[in-house]
Amino acid sequence: MPELKLIGPFKQLIPMTGLPLKGALADEQLVVLQDAGIIIEGERLKEIGNFQELKAKFNAIQIHELQGDHTCLPGFVDAHTHICFGGTRANDYAMRNSGNTYLEIAKAGGGIWDTVTQTRKVTKTELVKGTIKRANRHLKNGVTTLEVKSGYGLSVAEELKMLYAIKEADEAIPADLITTCLAAHMLPKDYRGSAENYLEEISSKLFPKLKSEKLTNRIDAFVEESAFSTLQIAPYFKKAKEMGFDITVHADQFSTGGSTVAVAFSAVSADHLEVSTDKEIELLANSTVIAIALPGASIGLGCAFTPARKLLDAGGSLAIASDHNPGSAPMGDLLTQAAILGAFEKLSNAEVLAGITVRAAAALKLEDRGKLEEGKLADFSLFHTGNYQEILYNQGNLKPCVVFKRGVKVFDKHK
Ligand code: NIG
Ligand code: FE
């Protein structure tokens, strides 16, 4: 029997329980527990309740009694990142801000292809190191689970290198990394053949490897004029579905089409959606696809935010992720970006917090996290405040002071 730990008291604990997966949320729907405590058993939550009552009820071996006011939230889940890469694209950023568009830079040899070239040049060990460094920074900011995509290899061997690197990084750090294969990020410039040939090669040679090596159960594609069309991607997704993979789509970032494919293939999520119109919003809202807004890409590219308010009002489900990548979203600060999206899109605290916890966990099909209740993973963060509203009000500048992952304290600002 693992020993019991009692942590608390928390002036407020927001368990993010009892919330619907879809639709608008009001702050009144948030459960706010006062003077709460948590009993941890091993890596899971055994009980949540009043701190003094828990102290009397359990003969906890370890008691972490906190001084001052704290608010406790579930560990954040960042459901869309590209933190495994080589090199930098600081020059792309400077060029964009000097008036060149993302697509112009891509055409001139910058953009995704530049990162592919730089990623192919580095060893797997270097990729592991970079991924660990970035994931650990997210962890300090309260992100205890991150999805990480491949997509800068763009050949069977180089995609495998990335996916093995992400796996290795996952094993070396406290945060959980969920891998996704994004071999369909763009048609590699050195590929001798059509987009159809490339996708066929990936699905016939890489997909079976992903299964046999247990590298990932998720297939993503960038559906866009500069990447793959809806027609080109359909047979690829069909094959992926037949093999039992979950589908996720980079959709409606610069032109529409991707969200229609996402709905047609019952994808787990459609991500980006910056240019989705009322038609796409309606389609998504009436489906089981979770919309993922990526405010970090809007901030990085200086373009419109995903129409999050409209999506929620239409009855859709909204998660928020950082899209942390070297090109469009170099910042990599989920809480800051989610708070900013909330201010621009007029989202309630409940909607923003659900978007980076329980709804983000659902987008990754992870039922064991995203909320704090008995049996879930003991993944949570503490903030130095007695009022949860302060967290988004500070727009990312109020960072966690303590982070627990699977029942273990992995970050303490005071130490
Ligand atoms: O999600 N849109 C396509 N892919 C990434 C960008 C990757 C890059 O620019 O390196 C995204 O924004
Ligand atoms: Fe992305």
Side-chain angles (χ1 to χ4, degrees):
M1 273 276 280
E3 65 180 30
L4 300 181
K5 280 188 245 177
L6 169 65
I7 328 268
F10 313 122
K11 190 105 174 131
Q12 293 190 337
L13 183 149
I14 319 290
M16 301 306 292
T17 47
L19 299 169
L21 181 59
K22 293 180 76 174
L25 298 170
D27 286 350
E28 292 68 37
Q29 289 173 265
L30 283 178
V31 174
V32 182
L33 302 175
Q34 313 279 345
D35 304 315
I38 289 180
I39 295 278
I40 300 173
E41 185 175 36
E43 60 176 25
R44 300 212 172 237
L45 300 166
K46 185 166 176 68
E47 197 162 320
I48 290 167
N50 177 275
F51 180 76
Q52 294 306 335
E53 284 173 22
L54 290 175
K55 201 170 169 182
K57 179 173 168 188
F58 288 94
N59 196 6
I61 299 194
Q62 277 187 47
I63 301 181
H64 294 256
E65 195 147 352
L66 303 161
Q67 305 302 319
D69 288 348
H70 290 87
T71 291
C72 176
L73 290 183
F76 300 142
V77 175
D78 193 340
H80 180 140
T81 85
H82 309 247
I83 60 167
C84 179
F85 60 84
T88 170
R89 299 241 295 281
N91 191 50
D92 277 20
Y93 187 72
M95 276 176 77
R96 276 205 304 279
N97 294 344
S98 305
N100 300 281
T101 68
Y102 185 61
L103 296 179
E104 277 166 12
I105 294 166
K107 277 192 187 128
I112 295 167
W113 184 248
D114 188 18
T115 298
V116 172
T117 310
Q118 299 189 67
T119 302
R120 286 179 177 179
K121 272 189 201 145
V122 301
T123 63
K124 187 180 73 169
T125 308
E126 285 172 289
L127 285 181
V128 174
K129 259 175 74 182
T131 307
I132 288 177
K133 192 181 87 192
R134 294 174 200 112
N136 280 341
R137 209 182 81 204
H138 283 278
L139 184 70
K140 272 172 54 179
N141 291 342
V143 180
T144 47
T145 301
L146 296 104
E147 184 259 18
V148 186
K149 298 172 194 299
S150 65
Y152 295 125
L154 306 191
S155 69
V156 173
E158 291 292 328
E159 283 291 305
L160 282 172
K161 181 176 96 183
M162 285 194 76
L163 291 161
Y164 281 120
I166 300 164
K167 276 268 165 199
E168 231 175 88
D170 175 46
E171 279 154 23
I173 57 175
D176 292 324
L177 306 183
I178 310 296
T179 49
T180 302
C181 175
L182 179 59
H185 202 179
M186 66 178 280
L187 178 63
K189 293 197 174 195
D190 60 350
Y191 187 76
R192 292 167 188 274
S194 65
E196 287 80 0
N197 296 151
Y198 173 70
L199 294 173
E200 162 56 29
E201 182 173 324
I202 292 294
S203 62
S204 60
K205 298 203 175 124
L206 183 58
F207 284 7
K209 270 275 202 207
L210 302 180
K211 288 275 175 198
S212 63
E213 298 286 299
K214 294 194 171 34
L215 287 169
T216 182
N217 194 37
R218 293 166 42 86
I219 300 292
D220 193 352
F222 189 17
V223 176
E224 189 52 59
E225 283 162 8
S226 62
F228 297 100
S229 71
T230 56
L231 281 179
Q232 286 166 341
I233 217 64
Y236 184 74
F237 278 163
K238 185 165 175 281
K239 177 101 174 262
K241 281 224 85 144
E242 281 165 5
M243 291 182 72
F245 289 104
D246 287 332
I247 304 288
T248 173
V249 189
H250 277 72
D252 303 0
Q253 187 183 11
F254 303 106
S255 59
T256 56
S259 51
T260 310
V261 178
V263 172
F265 284 91
S266 304
V268 285
S269 72
D271 310 24
H272 275 293
L273 311 171
E274 290 88 339
V275 301
S276 296
T277 68
D278 290 351
K279 188 178 131 219
E280 285 78 29
I281 290 170
E282 188 69 23
L283 194 67
L284 288 165
N286 289 316
S287 76
T288 56
V289 180
I290 298 181
I292 305 190
L294 306 172
S298 302
I299 296 166
L301 297 175
C303 65
F305 287 108
T306 301
R309 178 74 269 142
K310 281 187 165 184
L311 270 155
L312 288 164
D313 287 343
S317 186
L318 180 84
I320 305 167
S322 74
D323 196 17
H324 190 188
N325 74 68
S328 59
M331 182 205 285
D333 187 333
L334 179 62
L335 182 59
T336 301
Q337 294 164 0
I340 290 170
L341 180 74
F344 276 83
E345 280 291 309
K346 304 293 170 235
L347 307 180
S348 66
N349 276 285
E351 288 165 336
V352 174
L353 294 177
I356 56 177
T357 57
V358 62
R359 289 177 170 183
L364 296 176
K365 297 214 321 201
L366 299 171
E367 282 166 10
D368 58 355
R369 65 197 79 189
K371 53 179 140 173
L372 301 176
E373 65 185 7
E374 193 191 321
K376 302 288 182 217
L377 289 176
D379 294 359
F380 57 89
S381 296
L382 310 183
F383 295 81
H384 252 311
T385 174
N387 171 11
Y388 80 89
Q389 293 177 319
E390 290 281 343
I391 297 168
L392 294 177
Y393 169 62
N394 275 273
Q395 300 190 310
N397 208 19
L398 178 61
K399 299 282 191 218
C401 52
V402 171
V403 180
F404 272 77
K405 174 65 189 167
R406 291 181 181 264
V408 176
K409 185 158 67 174
V410 290
F411 174 66
D412 189 338
K413 200 172 104 182
H414 312 291
K415 295 227 165 101

